[in-house]
Amino acid sequence: MEIPDLPSWPTTVREAEAVQDRLRSCVDLTSPGPESVRTVAGLDVAYAEDRLAAAVVVLDVDRLEVVEEIVVRDRPSFPYVPGLFAFRELPALIEGLRRLSVTPDLLICDGHGLAHPKRFGLACHLGVLTGLPAIGVGKTRLVGAYDEPGADRGSWSNVTDGDEVVGRALRTQTGVRPIFVSVGHLTDLETACEVTLRLTPRYRLPESTRRADRLSRRALAAS
DNA sequence: GCGACAG
DNA sequence: ATCTTGTCGC
């Protein structure tokens, strides 16, 4: 798919925060989201020393079968700093999306969207840069407070930061810890959770994320 | 000053 | 994220 070239990449925390402040106004949470989500792209990155492998796996949501997969080798573009995580792996993920021959209906990011201190997590950033609907699915909380969801699969509770609902803690399997779903771009929280549940028929994490995780690790090991 | 802190 | 052994549970 077509994605504009990335601008010069920030080097310091100060510069990265300036980019977030400038781009967060581009997040669209009011336009209607995808009419129907038939395909999703799972994105994940594996690291080793100073190398990384980014994987993009497009899945057919109904059949949970792989439609296309891409791997990109690169080097971290930024150190890991809570809140600035996107600057670390975004370049490699964008390149992976560029090489895709199909355009997924929704991006499933390994991290958060609005559930971010500045309301501009990886899912928002990726959504704005690609113009595609995007959501964030994290394994642990970054910001906000939440009550423990009910014990059954499908149970959820809102994650709130101050008086804002920034996401949901969603129990995707009975007996496992909840995952954290938040909106990134051109999607609503309801849809985000519905799709996430469709992608977790058997495991805690979305099948898209699991596939991308396996692929990125395999590619890194084989390099 | 003391924690908390996506991956 | 990654480093790591055994261990509890289905």
Side-chain angles (χ1 to χ4, degrees):
Chain A
M1 62 177 292
E2 296 296 316
I3 300 176
D5 288 332
L6 255 30
S8 62
W9 212 240
T11 300
T12 66
V13 167
R14 195 184 192 80
E15 293 173 346
E17 291 178 330
V19 171
Q20 293 185 323
D21 287 332
R22 181 163 53 75
L23 293 181
R24 64 177 156 187
S25 61
C26 298
V27 173
D28 187 340
L29 302 177
T30 55
S31 296
E35 60 303 319
S36 72
V37 181
R38 291 198 173 79
T39 61
V40 298
L43 310 123
D44 194 23
V45 178
Y47 299 85
E49 305 270 307
D50 58 342
R51 301 177 302 122
L52 65 76
V56 179
V57 177
V58 178
L59 284 185
D60 177 297
V61 178
D62 290 326
R63 318 181 73 194
L64 292 184
E65 287 178 353
V66 178
V67 172
E68 184 174 12
E69 44 185 30
I70 301 290
V71 173
V72 173
R73 298 169 165 304
D74 201 350
R75 287 179 173 292
S77 305
F78 203 83
Y80 172 67
V81 179
L84 300 179
F85 171 59
F87 294 92
R88 187 168 173 71
E89 42 186 63
L90 219 156
L93 292 175
I94 286 290
E95 180 54 30
L97 289 169
R98 270 200 193 95
R99 298 182 189 177
L100 236 37
S101 65
V102 298
T103 300
D105 296 323
L106 177 71
L107 302 182
I108 310 287
C109 306
D110 192 29
H112 299 101
L114 278 191
H116 175 279
K118 296 172 81 171
R119 308 291 177 267
F120 195 70
L122 174 63
C124 300
H125 207 146
L126 218 36
V128 167
L129 264 39
T130 60
L132 295 178
I135 66 171
V137 175
K139 294 180 283 297
T140 62
R141 179 201 73 97
L142 174 59
V143 296
Y146 65 96
D147 291 322
E148 190 66 18
D152 301 335
R153 162 178 157 81
S155 296
W156 57 270
S157 60
N158 285 324
V159 173
T160 58
D161 194 11
D163 52 16
E164 298 179 66
V165 172
V166 298
R168 280 183 191 170
L170 177 65
R171 186 93 64 192
T172 54
Q173 296 297 325
T174 300
V176 305
R177 289 172 296 151
I179 58 177
F180 301 84
V181 180
S182 61
V183 160
H185 187 57
L186 297 172
T187 321
D188 60 85
L189 196 47
E190 290 296 335
T191 302
C193 289
E194 283 175 11
V195 174
T196 298
L197 282 174
R198 280 207 280 160
L199 293 170
T200 52
R202 174 87 169 90
Y203 299 99
R204 177 184 179 231
L205 297 177
E207 210 53 41
S208 43
T209 299
R210 301 183 70 251
R211 295 271 192 166
D213 178 78
R214 287 194 326 181
L215 179 55
S216 62
R217 294 198 198 200
R218 191 174 15 106
L220 196 60
S223 67

